[in-house]
Amino acid sequence: MVSRIIPVDPFDLVIIGGTGDLARRKILPGLFRRYRAGQMQGETRVIGAARAEMDADGYRAMVRAALEEFDPVNATDTDAMAGFLKILDYVVLDAMGTDGWTDLAGKMHEGRVRAFYFSVAPRLFGPLAERLHLHGMADDDTRIVVEKPFGRDLGTARALNASLAQHFHEGQIYRIDHYLGKETVQNLMAIRFGNMLFEPLWNSQYIDHIQITVAETVGVGGRGDYYDRSGAMRDMVQNHMMQLLCLIAMEPPAKFDPDAVRDEKLKVIRALDPVEPNEIVRGQYEADDDKPGYREHVENPVSLTESFIAMKLHVSNWRWAGTPFYLRTGKRLRARTSEIAVVFKETPHSIFGPEAGQHRNILTIRLQPNEGIDLGVTIKEPGPGGMRLVDVPLDMTFSEALEPEAEDVPDAYERLIMDVIRGNQTLFMRGDEVEAAWAWTDPIIKAWEDRGDEPRPYDSGSSGPEDALMLMHRDGRRWRDIRT
Ligand code: BG6
């Protein structure tokens, strides 16, 4: 199935931090793929801006090398590569100073959408917004794109929002959470609101509990410094997992428009109860034969930061009262897998008697890898041995069902950048959403910091600390296996 490509009008996109890791790994390869797919016109300009002294040709050479490294297959398309390099330009820019700003302003085209991607540390967001304003680049056609971490608590998030709000209104600010750009994450809304089948059962009368797992096999790698100041709660739960929870738990918006969707997500975050300490398990991975443990990775032998977290959440509203949400995420776990499991209740009465056993329908939405959905259905076990029941999967892997050509499934960044250009904020976090998520997160972090809470050690390649299993066992439930 080939997706329809609708070219967008020529635009100016400035990547501030255009030589950085995110630009080379994600933003530029994403733009290249959209260019190659025919979505950008030749007059579009993508301007790298950074401190490094180089000219536009130097930048083109850097970008070519980045594309060859991070998108080797598409980079072999020499025509597309030549065309894409032509739309690039470069400005030497001092984000905190004055150098380069007049140059940059001179490169802007009148009457076009212009977007500034702040691919830099959050402390620069305010000064950048100020300079764009001072140099006449903060008009109504301007959009700014910012990355997580958007603050490290409510206070810092508010300060960031306030510094951006001095020169830009909310409709111009695109806060990226790359999970919202994932194809399967958007599918959560299609599955829920595009089918009659699920929504009538989507509440605490029929659903026993919901599990959300985002497991990674990688450790904290070269990001030890950032990660040790963040931990799994700030790095994954406050943003990505909160977004998944919102999409699963929200009320149907009246339409698929940015504020209608974000209003409903905000209500979910505001309905979250505070989490009791005994409903959270934090963990830290240990060394294995050939890989260092967490504390060695972050070079902090006394670190109390968690690389794993499991928690039980309650959404206090009519739909969800009595149905807990169990969330878990961690590094160096058994497999890389992200999935949401909606575990339905047992039938109110079994006509087949006790020997038929206990059965539940489970709807599993696999976000990555192997994207798809699987609905466990109870049927009669074949054979003459009486009415014994067995659960079998109705399993649909999207790539088999839809047969997309691999290149037609855009990566999260490609989709999100094009949404910025089209001016569609549905998949971006609104300022009040981010603040509400921090308002819920802050007391949880503060409580364990006040207690000096020690994360439980867990083996690399495991499912996390034993206590995380207990979190569910004591409720008579169990986590699904972490496996690909
Ligand atoms: C990032 C986190 O936002 O998301 C990383 O900072 C994490 O720690 C990553 O590894 C996970 O993203 P994905 O797309 O690989 O699931």
Side-chain angles (χ1 to χ4, degrees):
M1 179 177 297
V2 178
S3 54
R4 278 170 297 138
I5 302 291
I6 304 171
V8 294
D9 290 341
F11 58 89
D12 291 338
L13 170 68
V14 181
I15 310 171
I16 302 180
T19 55
D21 198 52
L22 181 71
R24 293 185 319 112
R25 267 174 201 280
K26 294 287 184 187
I27 305 172
L28 289 156
L31 287 164
F32 175 53
R33 281 165 58 105
R34 287 297 94 205
Y35 178 85
R36 191 165 172 262
Q39 206 163 17
M40 286 180 208
Q41 306 192 17
E43 309 87 74
T44 286
R45 282 290 154 267
V46 173
I47 305 167
R51 266 211 303 242
E53 291 285 345
M54 64 175 115
D55 60 12
D57 279 339
Y59 190 60
R60 289 183 189 116
M62 191 217 82
V63 174
R64 176 197 284 273
L67 297 178
E68 284 166 354
E69 183 176 354
F70 297 113
D71 191 0
V73 175
N74 289 318
T76 57
D77 181 340
T78 46
D79 286 349
M81 176 71 87
F84 183 66
L85 295 180
K86 258 196 220 145
I87 71 170
L88 299 180
D89 201 348
Y90 184 76
V91 175
V92 182
L93 187 81
D94 180 359
M96 299 290 272
T98 50
D99 291 353
W101 286 95
T102 314
D103 257 11
L104 182 60
K107 289 184 187 285
M108 297 291 106
H109 295 87
E110 281 309 309
R112 283 189 182 183
V113 165
R114 63 172 69 134
F116 295 88
Y117 198 128
F118 293 1
S119 180
V120 291
R123 70 188 156 77
L124 299 179
F125 293 174
L128 286 174
E130 174 78 28
R131 280 164 181 72
L132 288 176
H133 165 74
L134 285 175
H135 292 274
M137 287 179 275
D139 61 22
D140 275 351
D141 288 332
T142 300
R143 292 159 199 175
I144 57 174
V145 187
V146 297
E147 275 283 334
K148 79 176 255 274
F150 199 82
R152 55 176 283 107
D153 54 23
L154 179 57
T156 48
R158 273 192 181 143
L160 275 180
N161 274 336
S163 66
L164 297 180
Q166 285 190 1
H167 304 296
F168 297 96
H169 60 77
E170 185 62 38
Q172 296 177 283
I173 305 172
Y174 290 72
R175 295 176 196 79
I176 287 203
D177 181 316
H178 80 280
Y179 263 57
L180 288 175
K182 288 183 191 271
E183 186 72 19
T184 38
V185 172
Q186 292 162 66
N187 232 327
L188 294 177
M189 285 185 276
I191 290 167
R192 283 194 61 195
F193 307 131
N195 292 285
M196 192 58 210
L197 205 55
F198 301 116
E199 205 49 28
L201 307 180
W202 211 258
N203 57 56
S204 59
Q205 197 181 340
Y206 298 101
I207 295 178
D208 178 72
H209 72 277
I210 292 177
Q211 302 185 17
I212 305 181
T213 299
V214 177
E216 297 184 275
T217 49
V218 291
V220 296
R223 305 157 71 222
D225 202 32
Y226 150 78
Y227 195 90
D228 204 38
R229 282 180 285 112
S230 308
M233 185 71 171
R234 287 192 172 97
D235 185 52
M236 293 295 290
V237 178
Q238 187 270 347
N239 35 72
H240 305 325
M241 299 202 66
M242 191 57 49
Q243 292 296 324
L244 298 181
L245 172 81
C246 286
L247 296 176
I248 283 289
M250 72 184 184
E251 296 300 316
K255 45 188 172 180
F256 189 58
D257 102 0
D259 279 327
V261 171
R262 296 184 301 176
D263 285 348
E264 295 306 336
K265 289 199 295 166
L266 179 62
K267 285 184 210 162
V268 174
I269 304 174
R270 290 195 172 146
L272 282 172
D273 281 354
V275 184
E276 298 297 329
N278 66 352
E279 295 183 326
I280 301 181
V281 176
R282 301 167 64 236
Q284 238 181 29
Y285 61 83
E286 300 222 272
D288 65 9
D289 296 342
D290 52 351
K291 295 212 180 76
Y294 177 81
R295 289 182 175 183
E296 291 153 77
H297 250 149
V298 300
E299 296 174 9
N300 177 1
V302 293
S303 172
L304 294 180
T305 302
E306 76 287 353
S307 59
F308 172 98
I309 190 162
M311 55 204 313
K312 179 179 175 185
L313 309 189
H314 304 273
V315 180
S316 272
N317 61 21
W318 273 52
R319 187 188 281 263
W320 294 117
T323 293
F325 289 72
Y326 297 89
L327 269 53
R328 84 186 145 158
T329 182
K331 305 261 184 215
R332 302 281 283 125
L333 295 176
R334 179 173 297 143
R336 176 176 189 252
T337 175
S338 302
E339 64 164 42
I340 297 171
V342 180
V343 181
F344 287 88
K345 292 188 172 170
E346 287 168 25
T347 53
H349 165 70
S350 170
I351 64 167
F352 305 110
E355 61 281 7
Q358 294 179 324
H359 297 273
R360 297 181 153 175
N361 302 115
I362 302 180
L363 173 68
T364 311
I365 302 157
R366 296 189 301 267
L367 303 177
Q368 59 189 28
N370 201 16
E371 293 84 346
I373 56 176
D374 168 337
L375 179 62
V377 178
T378 304
I379 59 166
K380 177 185 173 300
E381 196 178 293
M387 191 53 123
R388 285 196 304 268
L389 301 184
V390 62
D391 298 332
V392 292
L394 275 179
D395 194 344
M396 181 173 72
T397 297
F398 294 150
S399 61
E400 287 164 10
L402 301 171
E403 295 173 10
E405 292 168 30
E407 62 177 10
D408 286 326
V409 178
D411 148 283
Y413 277 89
E414 292 177 61
R415 173 188 315 276
L416 294 174
I417 295 169
M418 294 323 287
D419 276 358
V420 172
I421 303 304
R422 285 185 289 248
N424 185 343
Q425 289 190 306
T426 312
L427 300 176
F428 295 83
M429 293 180 297
R430 213 168 51 191
D432 51 1
E433 240 185 293
V434 179
E435 289 186 15
W438 281 121
W440 173 80
T441 311
D442 278 3
I444 301 173
I445 296 179
K446 180 160 187 316
W448 75 54
E449 282 177 354
D450 288 351
R451 283 200 312 276
D453 188 70
E454 291 255 0
R456 321 281 194 281
Y458 63 93
D459 290 341
S460 289
S462 71
S463 303
E466 280 290 305
D467 289 10
L469 304 179
M470 289 310 298
L471 186 70
M472 289 199 90
H473 283 180
R474 65 178 191 225
D475 292 344
R477 301 180 172 115
R478 56 186 294 268
W479 291 106
R480 291 169 53 77
D481 290 342
I482 293 182
R483 60 188 155 84
T484 37

